[in-house]
Amino acid sequence: MDQLVKEALEGEFRVNMHDADSIRRGLISYMVRVVGHDPRSAGTRQWFMALAHMIKGILSERGMGTSRAQYGQDTRRIYYLSMEFLTGRRLMKHLVDFGLTDTVREALESLGQDLDTVAEEEPDPALGNGGLGRLAACFLDSMATHQYPGHGYGIRYEFGMFSQTIEDGQQVEHPDNWLRRGNPWEFVRHSVAYPVRFHGRIVCFRDEQGRERCEWVDTQDINAVASDLKITGYDSPIISNLRLWTARATNDFDLRFFNEGNYIEAVKDKTTSETLSKVLYPMDSTVLGQELRLKQEYFFVSASLQDIIARYLRVHSDMSTLHKKIAIQLNDTHPALAVPEMMRLLVDVHGLDWDKAWHVTRETFCYTNHTLLPEALETWPIGMLEHVLPRHLEIIYLINHDHLQQVRFRFPGEMDVLRRMSLVDEETQRIRMAHLAIVGSKRVNGVAALHTRLLREKVFPEFDEMYPGKFVNVTNGVTQRRWLLQCNPELGALISQAIGEAWKTDLMALRDLEPMAEDAAFRERFNAIKLANKERLGAHIAGQTGLVVDPASMFDVQVKRIHEYKRQLLNVLHVVHRYVLLREGRVTAPVPRTVIIGGKAAPGYYLAKQIIRLINDVALTINNDRSVSDLLKVVFLPNYNVSSAEITIPGANLSEQISTAGTEASGTGNMKFALNGALTIGTLDGANIEIKEEVGDDNIFIFGLTTEQVMETKRRGYNPWRVIEGNPDLKRVVDMITSGFFNPQQVNRYHAIGETLFERGDQYMVLADFAAYVEAQNRVDELFQDPDAWARKAILNVARMGTFSSDRSIHTYARDIWGVEPMDLTATL
Ligand code: 26V
């Protein structure tokens, strides 16, 4: 080592990334010069930092090339505004994208380090709740891979999604201090900072031309400071940017407090103003209407629009053609304040007249809806908006005035329609953000065929009528680079061996895999890889929970946020039912199963937390009952996140996608599982429907009520009591849970679960679907007993997942929504 260090430090800083020896020298040099550690005593953490900084150097170099080429081409840029990005760890992704995994592995090995162990040192940036944030990350990957000029804007939360432990069977939340040891990937741009204003009042006056102008004065300002994360695509010359904003007190703030002479109070207030980017709200199901959340939303919208406009004005001068050069995608309504903010900037700051500004605005924005649940649709109290963003409230009223004028014209005399379409909910005195986003956008899209249909027919029918062609569908997708190539390299290699590498950037190429389903040797290798992935998952489970599971058993997996509509409870009912049958010896040819459930509950969502507790109580009883121990195990996998998904998904045989029909907008986990060779048991909900159409009815286990049947049943008056009286097995299971069989020390623990199923009418039809679910699970068992038949279907699932690539989603957005073409920078760079 001594000699190595000496040589490396004598050498040049520049590294040839295709030569392991050069990388090794580079690593030593970065270790000394950037990390500031002696290579002779460095541990995995330090080697991670040295490697990350080295890769960061390449990112920066290549990124500059991309920027120059983009300015040169003056292409329309796409900005993806999202409060959440769940990017997953960066290191392995960059290595895969640059094709450097093997050389870097070799270089580290020569330094006595293992790449996988080093990669584990990186914290998983948990800047999102679930599907919506992960989708944003998949989209950035697809845009960069296919050379679209797409950039992300979000918030650099100091604390991301809480980390979850299970104590006494219950969820405990811990702060996610992911920046504690620094973030080697970010470029902090102290000079890219914009003031964001709050509160204050409006003064209107006539300018020299006699036009009415309004100014927003006496505001309290906070600075937004940019940090950039570089986004690489697979084998792509493009490096895109994800710009995340941090809140900092303005100098102004400092000065005022200093002059007031109360130093300690001044510093305290300064800190409060910086809480804006402190923490991610860990809810994805109910809107609380908290002022801090509203401020977060405006903070990131305002900073992003200022930045977008500043960039535009570097090359252009006419604000009335802004929409020709940019498109802004709103990821749900969280950034919907961008609509009035754009109007304010165009009218109040840049002096455009109202109609022209409105035209530019509506041609710029597009909005993606991600939920049908009424309690997740954002609305803000008028009083709060008036206090926090008085000018925006006025602008919203002006927009609404013109909008209602058109509604009256289109639906004359229909007062009900007028009331429903107004941006203002008069009853609750709140502003409806989805309405605002729809009115202010050129296109609105749902995220799966069923979801888009329900949006058009049930949620916003009058909007759909008034704006034909505005509502479009773009079914979600996932990036095969992270969700196959990176997380399941063995399967990736097997596929490439069989059909070549085209699938990595064109997932439709997987079709060529179909004939392999009939190839016995291929099936054998496919099964061997699944087994190895199950062993890896088994080891992860043992590490996390201490439970030992059998990789030969069927791995039956449900991982996602815990929510009533996702029906983890239905899963538990089936598990308990199975337990009863096994104990009573009522199963003739039992199939050993390991049921794995993971996910976080929103901290304030009592019932979701009770479901976690129930899973753990049931697991404890079953796992300690020796009479079933070879046949049934139940695991609650704590702290489900992107990194644990990367281990969990490749190890699954069965993918549980069992939401009540008409509630899950799309789902994306469903796609990841099938792509990794799991079979799906699922309802006709979200993208499950499209998955079924692709893989074929014989290759998926569909059960339960359809959306129409759910609505019809409810309309006719659904009675959960009647269901349970007609099904003694179900009654037995429910009685066991509600009477304390799994928790004799506190028998009424699950009172609330009984209440939601009966007194509150089983809103999500858990009981109604139970019998069909059990029947489908029996079909699953039967098939699993024939490993060859199972493998055939699993291979066909993989082969038919082509359409569920986020590449396809992005090409669709580009063509139908943004009207952009990929750039071709391959020659330029
Ligand atoms: C809602 C809220 C409500 C206020 C507090 C913070 C917060 C944060 C996120 C959300 C969004 C919930 C919507 C969501 O995540 N939808 C999921 O989007 C996925 C990607 O389109 C889709 O696959 C899932 O089906 C859908 O549930």
Side-chain angles (χ1 to χ4, degrees), residues 733-749:
V733 168
V734 172
D735 285 347
M736 281 170 80
I737 291 171
T738 51
S739 71
F741 178 85
F742 298 102
N743 35 273
Q745 66 284 36
Q746 187 192 14
V747 290
N748 63 350
R749 183 173 291 168

Side-chain angles (χ1 to χ4, degrees), residues 226-276:
S227 292
D228 290 344
L229 289 178
K230 296 287 155 197
I231 304 295
T232 53
Y234 183 75
D235 193 21
S236 164
I238 295 262
I239 305 270
S240 304
N241 201 30
L242 170 55
R243 180 157 282 183
L244 302 177
W245 300 107
T246 304
R248 288 268 171 266
T250 53
N251 290 337
D252 202 38
F253 231 95
D254 297 354
L255 208 65
R256 200 167 71 237
F257 287 121
F258 187 73
N259 291 340
E260 276 166 15
N262 193 342
Y263 176 72
I264 296 295
E265 278 308 304
V267 176
K268 230 173 146 184
D269 271 26
K270 180 173 150 83
T271 321
T272 349
S273 76
E274 295 181 349
T275 54
L276 271 193

Side-chain angles (χ1 to χ4, degrees), residues 31 37-39 41-49 113 118 121:
M31 182 65 82
H37 209 287
D38 187 335
S41 62
T44 45
R45 173 72 203 167
Q46 284 80 36
W47 286 113
F48 164 71
M49 290 302 268
Q113 296 295 317
V118 167
E121 288 291 339

Side-chain angles (χ1 to χ4, degrees), residues 84 131-132 283-284 286 293 334 370 447 476 565 664-667:
E84 309 189 5
L132 168 142
M283 299 100 72
D284 66 346
T286 34
R293 166 84 185 178
H334 316 152
H370 293 269
V447 290
N476 284 166
Y565 84 79
E664 187 71 273
S666 162

